[in-house]
Amino acid sequence: MHAQKIQARSCATLRPLIAVLAVAAGTGAWADEPSPYYIGASQAFTHDSNVYRIAGGPADSYSSTGLLGGFDQTISRQRIYASANVNYNKYRRLGTLDNTSYGVNAGWDWATIDTLSGNFNASANQSLATLNNNASQPLAARNILKTEQFGTSVRWGGEGLLNLVGSYAHSRLRYSAPEYLSSQSSADATSLGVNYRLGPDVTLGTALRYTRTDSPYALQPSPGNYQPNTANGRNLDLTADWRTTEQTRVNARLSWTRLTNSGLGALDFSGLTGAVSANYAPTAKLTFNAGVSRDAGTYSSLFNYPGAARGTTLQGLSAYSQTTDTYSLGVGYAATAKITLNASVQYNHARLIDASGNGHADNTRSASLGANWAIARSWLLACNVAHASRTLEGNAGFSYTDNTASCSAQFTLR
């Protein structure tokens, strides 16, 4: 099972492409079969026109120097994998933002000889926080975000028409800046459901899903006096998956959702949520992907995106959001065997509730364009540009525009 990344950020600073220097270990390192082991190094440069994502924020450039290593090994019916990367990010003018970011991810996909299979995964990440959509006052200072996640799922039924599926995931977020103490939280999600194959291309399913998010410092009625908030979500999911080829697929979810909060009653929600995502490849060189979703709660993207609990990074969450609507479109084009182009646009509309219980319409728009050039088997160059803008109803101080540009080089051997 491959990891899927949640798109919970509306637009964050464009991350440089991490380079990998893959080195095989032991005898037969240069054999035709690729080694499952690799280590790597990278160098990238990024310019950001609005580092803090605030109205009229300062611009700066920074370099990212990184190392990476890991392995991905299949053993009979089992697959084990792990990867780790670390980057030192050095800013040209805003030296207080200099930081070391890292990411660690590991997992185990397992299967028995009969009809039982599943997976376990865990990850930990550290980086500058880019909480673009939130009802807290934007912060023009260094703010480090640390996340830890683990999840597991079990499937019974194998290749049969009927499958029973259960899953559990846990996540925790911590911020270094005391101004973001109210955004620190931990979350759990459990799900139990059944899938039925109508045919080789279509699978239908239903599941009961429960989520719980604990924010111990969500409310501050007076200075130094904090009160917690617990958000409980109960969902009845109906799902459909239609896959005609590996490149062409439609995945849909319709849910009845009830979200209640112990301390922030204005965030309560009851109604329909859901998501539709589609991939389409009209030719071998051209691919399209599109998505539409509506969900409730700060952790909606983590809990509701298929497979999102596995190997994802929590960035750009819409803190204090009651509902968030997201629309996205992307396209990829293989211009030659060595040159690929990609472009994407995304629009987010969130209903934010501030600490006073007032609602605000929050709109963000983003677009990006990138190109990768595989100069040789071992070399890859990449460049990307992106634009983002945000408007928050009733508070111009939260609005911003931002442009980023990044280029990196990659060297790899297998």
Side-chain angles (χ1 to χ4, degrees), residues 308-398:
R310 178 175 177 172
T312 60
T313 301
L314 293 177
Q315 300 261 359
L317 295 177
S318 295
Y320 298 107
S321 62
Q322 184 186 54
T323 58
T324 303
D325 302 326
T326 302
Y327 309 87
S328 63
L329 177 65
V331 59
Y333 178 65
T336 69
K338 295 185 177 182
I339 298 176
T340 59
L341 307 174
N342 58 82
S344 65
V345 293
Q346 183 168 303
Y347 171 72
N348 279 24
H349 172 76
R351 174 174 169 76
L352 301 187
I353 308 296
D354 61 24
S356 302
N358 301 314
H360 304 274
D362 186 12
N363 300 295
T364 59
R365 300 167 180 84
S366 63
S368 66
L369 179 65
N372 296 336
W373 180 23
I375 303 174
R377 182 180 178 183
S378 301
W379 285 95
L380 177 68
L381 296 180
C383 285
N384 296 270
V385 293
H387 170 79
S389 65
R390 179 195 186 191
T391 57
L392 181 63
E393 178 186 63
N395 196 327
F398 286 69

Side-chain angles (χ1 to χ4, degrees), residues 229-234 258-262 264 267-269:
N229 178 66
T230 298
N232 293 295
R234 298 167 180 83
R258 179 172 176 79
L259 181 68
T260 57
N261 292 265
S262 62
L264 293 168
L267 291 177
D268 291 354
F269 174 83

Side-chain angles (χ1 to χ4, degrees), residues 177-191:
E179 293 87 347
Y180 273 79
L181 191 62
S182 62
S183 296
Q184 295 192 159
S185 53
S186 62
D188 299 272
T190 58
S191 175

Side-chain angles (χ1 to χ4, degrees), residues 9-348:
R9 298 178 65 178
S10 35
C11 181
T13 302
L14 186 64
R15 294 292 183 194
L17 182 63
I18 297 178
V20 178
L21 171 61
V23 179
T27 334
W30 305 105
D32 291 338
E33 289 297 324
S35 168
Y37 303 96
Y38 56 89
I39 59 174
S42 66
Q43 180 62 57
F45 298 93
T46 301
H47 178 76
D48 193 332
S49 70
N50 190 344
V51 174
Y52 295 120
R53 303 297 193 274
I54 60 176
D60 204 358
S61 300
Y62 64 91
S63 68
S64 297
T65 305
L67 298 172
L68 180 145
F71 67 91
D72 191 328
Q73 179 69 64
T74 300
I75 306 173
S76 184
R77 296 180 177 87
Q78 322 301 315
R79 173 181 172 241
I80 55 175
Y81 59 90
S83 64
N85 67 78
V86 60
N87 283 269
Y88 179 66
N89 306 290
K90 175 70 175 177
Y91 284 76
R92 185 171 63 88
R93 292 191 305 109
L94 303 172
T96 57
L97 294 182
D98 293 351
N99 70 93
T100 300
S101 59
Y102 64 78
V104 179
N105 182 52
W108 171 35
D109 296 340
W110 57 269
T112 66
I113 196 171
D114 294 318
T115 57
L116 198 62
S117 62
N119 69 75
F120 176 83
N121 57 86
S123 65
N125 297 272
Q126 174 178 292
S127 66
L128 278 181
T130 52
L131 214 80
N132 301 331
N133 298 68
N134 62 90
S136 300
Q137 184 64 38
L139 182 65
R142 188 175 188 267
N143 188 17
I144 298 296
L145 167 64
K146 292 185 178 181
T147 68
E148 294 90 28
Q149 304 172 74
F150 68 85
T152 185
S153 68
V154 178
R155 177 186 297 268
W156 179 82
E159 297 300 321
L161 296 179
L162 198 66
N163 279 260
L164 297 178
V165 183
S167 66
Y168 169 76
H170 173 80
S171 298
R172 184 173 66 160
L173 283 78
R174 292 174 294 164
Y175 296 89
S176 64
E179 293 87 347
Y180 273 79
L181 191 62
S182 62
S183 296
Q184 295 192 159
S185 53
S186 62
D188 299 272
T190 58
S191 175
L192 181 63
V194 58
N195 294 331
Y196 180 74
R197 274 199 309 123
L198 290 181
D201 300 333
V202 180
T203 301
L204 301 179
T206 185
L208 293 174
R209 180 165 45 92
Y210 173 75
T211 64
R212 177 187 174 95
T213 303
D214 292 310
S215 305
Y217 310 103
L219 299 168
Q220 188 178 187
S222 60
N225 178 26
Y226 294 96
Q227 294 181 6
N229 178 66
T230 298
N232 293 295
R234 298 167 180 83
N235 306 266
L236 173 61
D237 298 333
L238 301 176
T239 61
D241 185 90
W242 177 34
R243 176 183 294 185
T244 56
T245 68
E246 279 297 318
Q247 295 78 26
T248 302
R249 179 178 184 179
V250 177
N251 186 281
R253 173 183 57 81
L254 179 65
S255 305
W256 181 85
T257 299
R258 179 172 176 79
L259 181 68
T260 57
N261 292 265
S262 62
L264 293 168
L267 291 177
D268 291 354
F269 174 83
S270 181
L272 292 177
T273 61
V276 178
S277 63
N279 300 307
Y280 175 56
T283 70
K285 292 187 173 184
L286 188 62
T287 58
F288 294 92
N289 61 80
V292 178
S293 67
R294 175 177 175 81
D295 281 304
T298 297
Y299 278 81
S300 60
S301 296
L302 173 67
F303 287 148
N304 297 325
Y305 192 82
R310 178 175 177 172
T312 60
T313 301
L314 293 177
Q315 300 261 359
L317 295 177
S318 295
Y320 298 107
S321 62
Q322 184 186 54
T323 58
T324 303
D325 302 326
T326 302
Y327 309 87
S328 63
L329 177 65
V331 59
Y333 178 65
T336 69
K338 295 185 177 182
I339 298 176
T340 59
L341 307 174
N342 58 82
S344 65
V345 293
Q346 183 168 303
Y347 171 72
N348 279 24

